[in-house]
Amino acid sequence: MFSFFKKDKSTKVEKPQSLKERLFKSRKKLGSGLASLLLGKKAINDDLLDELEMLLITADIGINTTDKVLESVRQNASRKILKDSDGVYEFLKTELAKLLIEDNQLDTDINGTYVILVVGVNGAGKTTTIGKMVKHFQSQGKSVMLAAGDTFRAAAVEQLKVWGERNDITVVAQSTGSDAASVIFDAYQSAQAKNIDILIADTAGRLHTQGNLMQELEKIKRVITKQNEAAPHEVMLVIDGGAGQNAVNQAKEFNKTVKLSGLSITKLDGTAKGGVLFAISDELKLPIRFIGVGEGIDDLKLFNTKEFIDALFD
Ligand SMILES: Nc1nc2c(ncn2[C@@H]2O[C@H](COP(=O)(O)OP(=O)(O)OP(=O)(O)O)[C@@H](O)[C@H]2O)c(=O)[nH]1
Ligand SMILES: [Mg+2]
């Protein structure tokens, strides 16, 4: 009788999760881990530093970066700038934040078509990130076109077309097996002719150890640069955040072949290895453009240093 008072569950709108909630595994590992080790005015001695070292390494900060950070803790402790473990917590938060590059936003406002070449290992989240980026750029009022440069995997073109349809934009594609560089070449010409603001080129996943495939990537980049020496304006490496320290090696190898200009880190919603962002930023000195925190179209966040640090530590 009173059934019409019952709430219809199907129409219930779920509150979007905050970045803090999305990053909860990394937050537990790094933020809460450091808090339980450091808060409570303990003496800064070798035992504490050993524990700290272990924690930072297992949180995927990486050995080199951990060494560097611990060295400054030691120096500041011996100069009595850091007096007890409470101070170390705040100090670490600041030191880690300094490793992230502040100026990390893409500036796509150029005269002509801005070209983003997206590269990375298999399954890193390239195509998904491209789909999400389209929505992001469209919401800034930009026109976007996609180039289906993954001509290797059978379903890849279809996957990109689905994202294209979702965002109602053109996807330039040829059949599977055709030359990726020529697909992207055609797409660039078409984007320029149509005064498109941003062209995003997908590429096939490849391991950084596969020499021939890495050469193909180099060729793709060369073909774009031949049309316009300023292009591609962004060579973005997409990295699966769950890859931990492997991600650092991937980034180094891709950087050697196709000089990267930015990074996007995906799948930070499901991993405790978010600390790897500090290691990669420190070792490669590259800006992080976006982070992926879920599979949905809105689950891509512009990377903001302060927000990221707060989500991990506050
Ligand atoms: N949870 C989560 N899943 C993601 C995220 N980004 C991508 N994925 C998932 O990761 C899987 C692989 O994504 P793709 O975009 O196909 O990866 P890719 O790099 O294009 O893969 P290849 O083209 O095969 O090299 C898909 O199931 C995506 O839904 C993210 O930020 N969070
Ligand atoms: Mg793909």
Side-chain angles (χ1 to χ4, degrees):
M1 176 182 176
F2 295 108
S3 61
F4 58 91
F5 285 124
K6 281 185 190 156
K7 278 201 179 129
D8 178 0
K9 282 193 183 133
S10 63
T11 58
K12 199 175 140 199
V13 180
E14 298 235 348
K15 192 173 154 270
Q17 282 186 315
S18 65
L19 188 59
K20 215 180 243 184
E21 288 166 315
R22 296 295 175 99
L23 298 179
F24 92 99
K25 284 190 182 165
S26 297
R27 176 183 169 76
K28 197 169 153 212
K29 178 91 212 173
L30 194 56
S32 315
L34 284 175
S36 58
L37 176 64
L38 295 173
L39 297 183
K41 294 204 185 304
K42 293 178 222 163
I44 305 173
N45 54 27
D46 286 345
D47 283 348
L48 184 87
L49 291 173
D50 283 349
E51 278 187 71
L52 189 55
E53 178 176 26
M54 182 65 97
L55 195 151
L56 292 174
I57 289 173
T58 56
D60 272 279
I61 308 283
I63 293 179
N64 296 342
T65 308
T66 297
D67 279 354
K68 212 163 90 178
V69 171
L70 280 183
E71 186 48 37
S72 37
V73 173
R74 269 193 206 97
Q75 281 183 9
N76 282 281
S78 70
R79 285 195 225 130
K80 308 282 180 230
I81 297 169
L82 287 173
K83 295 192 178 65
D84 58 41
S85 62
D86 275 349
V88 176
Y89 183 81
E90 279 307 314
F91 178 78
L92 278 178
K93 207 177 127 184
T94 316
E95 286 298 294
L96 290 173
K98 277 196 225 158
L99 299 174
L100 304 171
I101 293 165
E102 284 275 0
D103 182 15
N104 57 1
Q105 309 288 309
L106 283 176
D107 182 10
T108 59
D109 282 326
I110 59 163
N111 208 348
T113 303
Y114 188 94
V115 183
I116 303 175
L117 179 66
V118 178
V119 303
V121 304
N122 312 70
K126 295 176 293 300
T127 309
T128 309
T129 301
I130 290 171
K132 294 169 176 174
M133 278 198 286
V134 172
K135 175 139 190 235
H136 165 78
F137 289 126
Q138 284 181 322
S139 72
Q140 294 185 328
K142 306 274 184 195
S143 55
V144 187
M145 187 185 271
L146 298 180
D150 182 353
T151 54
F152 188 70
R153 201 163 54 81
V157 175
E158 280 316 307
Q159 190 190 358
L160 201 66
K161 280 184 175 165
V162 169
W163 282 104
E165 273 164 27
R166 243 181 244 177
N167 295 301
D168 199 18
I169 57 164
T170 306
V171 179
V172 175
Q174 289 171 21
S175 54
T176 303
S178 52
D179 179 39
S182 88
V183 176
I184 297 173
F185 178 91
D186 287 352
Y188 191 21
Q189 298 233 310
S190 165
Q192 284 172 305
K194 292 183 174 138
N195 287 321
I196 297 287
D197 296 321
I198 301 172
L199 172 71
I200 312 178
D202 195 11
T203 58
R206 66 202 74 218
L207 282 177
H208 48 293
T209 47
Q210 291 171 309
N212 54 338
L213 293 181
M214 291 303 277
Q215 270 167 19
E216 185 203 59
L217 209 53
E218 206 251 317
K219 177 183 158 194
I220 292 173
K221 189 180 174 193
R222 198 164 4 100
V223 166
I224 303 172
T225 307
K226 248 192 188 160
Q227 290 187 76
N228 173 356
E229 63 180 23
H233 305 84
E234 165 85 349
V235 181
M236 179 187 287
L237 177 70
V238 173
I239 299 176
D240 178 340
Q245 290 310 295
N246 262 332
V248 181
N249 293 333
Q250 283 168 27
K252 284 182 180 164
E253 292 304 318
F254 274 89
N255 196 34
K256 269 188 214 157
T257 315
V258 283
K259 200 160 170 10
L260 304 168
S261 53
L263 308 167
S264 287
I265 323 276
T266 63
K267 309 187 198 180
L268 287 175
D269 49 312
T271 180
K273 296 175 184 286
V276 72
L277 268 72
F278 299 107
I280 298 180
S281 293
D282 185 31
E283 301 237 6
L284 283 120
K285 310 280 184 256
L286 283 169
I288 297 166
R289 309 296 193 190
F290 296 96
I291 53 175
V293 291
E295 292 187 275
I297 194 158
D298 293 315
D299 296 331
L300 186 73
K301 308 279 172 221
L302 269 178
F303 185 66
N304 177 298
T305 310
K306 186 176 180 311
E307 252 172 41
F308 183 72
I309 294 283
D310 287 351
L312 285 184
F313 292 98
D314 282 350

